[in-house]
Amino acid sequence: MLDAICLFDELNPVTYSVFKFQKLSDLDIEKYRQVLVCPACAGKAYYRKASKDGKAACFGSRYHQADCREFKPSAARTREELHAVEVNQLLVNSDAMIIDFCRQPSQSKKSINTSKPLGAELMPNECTQKAEQSSTSTPEPKLTGGPNLNTGTEQVAINALNQSAEQTEKRIAKEGLEKLLHSLMRGSELAESDLWVYTDEKYRWRAKNLFVNFADADPTENGSPRMYWGTVSHIDKEELWLNPADTKDVGIPIDKVAEPLKLRFGLSERRDFEGAAIILFGKCFWNKAKTRKIIQLWSNDLNRVFISKSDENE
């Protein structure tokens, strides 16, 4: 996108070319970048500054309408829309879903050591422990018939039990953060669903109460966590805070995990955060002055966050 409309003053919207926008002061850029929309379909837009390796500054959007003239289908967009279809089908076929925080993002499979969960070498945690336990534990025996149980009613009973077990297993879905985020970004019904979602062995939530867009984030009374999601407008100059594009009064502190976070998701410069989609399991609370809502990553565990960089062609 070469142009975007700024709605900072909604009564007097201003159309900026990317060339004009990048010449604004740093203060004005920070002020206007969170209220940009596509000039063709009014989808929420972002500004991405020029990169160190020569990529030009640009506007983009992850919210184009399908018939928008600015919309350029990409392989990433196609994959995300497929994830939305798959999650919608999951909602139909499943009684509950388990969030697999240890699932390795597909975009990083070629660049990491597959013998360990992603990030295990950076921050050992429960995913590392589970991987080690699974590699040393004895597999559970399957229900099978012995030499004297291969005929007659015994075999019928075994077949029935096996079939029942398979059907029960199919009703409990298991998904990682990558697919869940992509589906939410592409309009799946997950955030409105009554599906039971397990965040661990003990705690379950209705999906509609668990998945919260940044624009709807509010501190919970008892500090109860949620799955917060949306897009990033930008990261501050010190690279300590992420600023969601969906709201002006929410901040995500990353000071304790900044370097491993960037390494994990291939975020080599500030530009890479701009327009990225993000989902994280965390708690929301007010700052001391009650002027800003803070969403803190739960236990600073990198397995509980996923970031999907925006496509250069969006």
Side-chain angles (χ1 to χ4, degrees), residues 127-308:
C127 290
T128 308
Q129 296 170 2
K130 289 180 180 178
E132 292 173 349
Q133 291 171 359
S134 64
S135 64
T136 58
S137 60
T138 303
E140 294 183 3
K142 295 182 179 179
L143 182 60
T144 57
N148 299 323
L149 297 179
N150 288 329
T151 58
T153 56
E154 293 90 347
Q155 185 61 47
V156 172
I158 290 171
N159 292 340
L161 286 172
N162 279 330
Q163 183 177 9
S164 176
E166 291 173 0
Q167 290 175 343
T168 301
E169 186 177 355
K170 289 180 181 179
R171 300 294 297 184
I172 307 298
K174 195 172 186 179
E175 279 301 342
L177 293 180
E178 178 181 28
K179 184 177 291 187
L180 298 181
L181 172 60
H182 288 167
S183 79
L184 289 165
M185 292 295 298
R186 297 307 171 196
S188 75
E189 299 175 4
L190 180 62
E192 292 81 39
S193 171
D194 286 320
L195 184 75
W196 283 113
V197 179
Y198 288 81
T199 54
D200 59 28
E201 296 178 354
K202 294 182 179 180
Y203 297 102
R204 69 175 186 174
W205 323 67
R206 293 293 187 184
K208 64 184 180 183
N209 298 325
L210 176 62
F211 295 95
V212 179
N213 185 268
F214 292 128
D216 302 317
D218 278 312
T220 52
E221 293 182 3
N222 57 358
S224 178
R226 297 288 187 271
M227 294 295 313
Y228 296 99
W229 65 277
T231 53
V232 176
S233 168
H234 61 287
I235 186 173
D236 71 312
K237 290 184 178 180
E238 290 75 25
E239 300 188 355
L240 302 178
W241 290 84
L242 298 183
N243 299 282
D246 308 87
T247 176
K248 298 179 183 178
D249 63 352
V250 172
I252 305 169
I254 61 168
D255 52 310
K256 295 181 180 180
V257 296
E259 291 308 315
L261 181 75
K262 289 188 285 185
L263 179 62
R264 182 185 180 97
F265 296 109
L267 305 163
S268 59
E269 54 183 303
R270 289 180 63 203
R271 183 179 193 270
D272 293 330
F273 286 92
E274 296 161 358
I278 181 174
I279 187 170
L280 74 153
F281 185 66
K283 61 179 180 179
C284 180
F285 56 92
W286 288 108
N287 64 357
K288 291 183 179 180
K290 289 196 172 183
T291 57
R292 188 169 175 82
K293 302 170 189 174
I294 298 172
I295 296 179
Q296 177 70 57
L297 175 63
W298 196 258
S299 300
N300 286 313
D301 181 358
L302 289 184
N303 286 296
R304 297 183 183 271
V305 59
F306 178 80
I307 298 178
S308 175

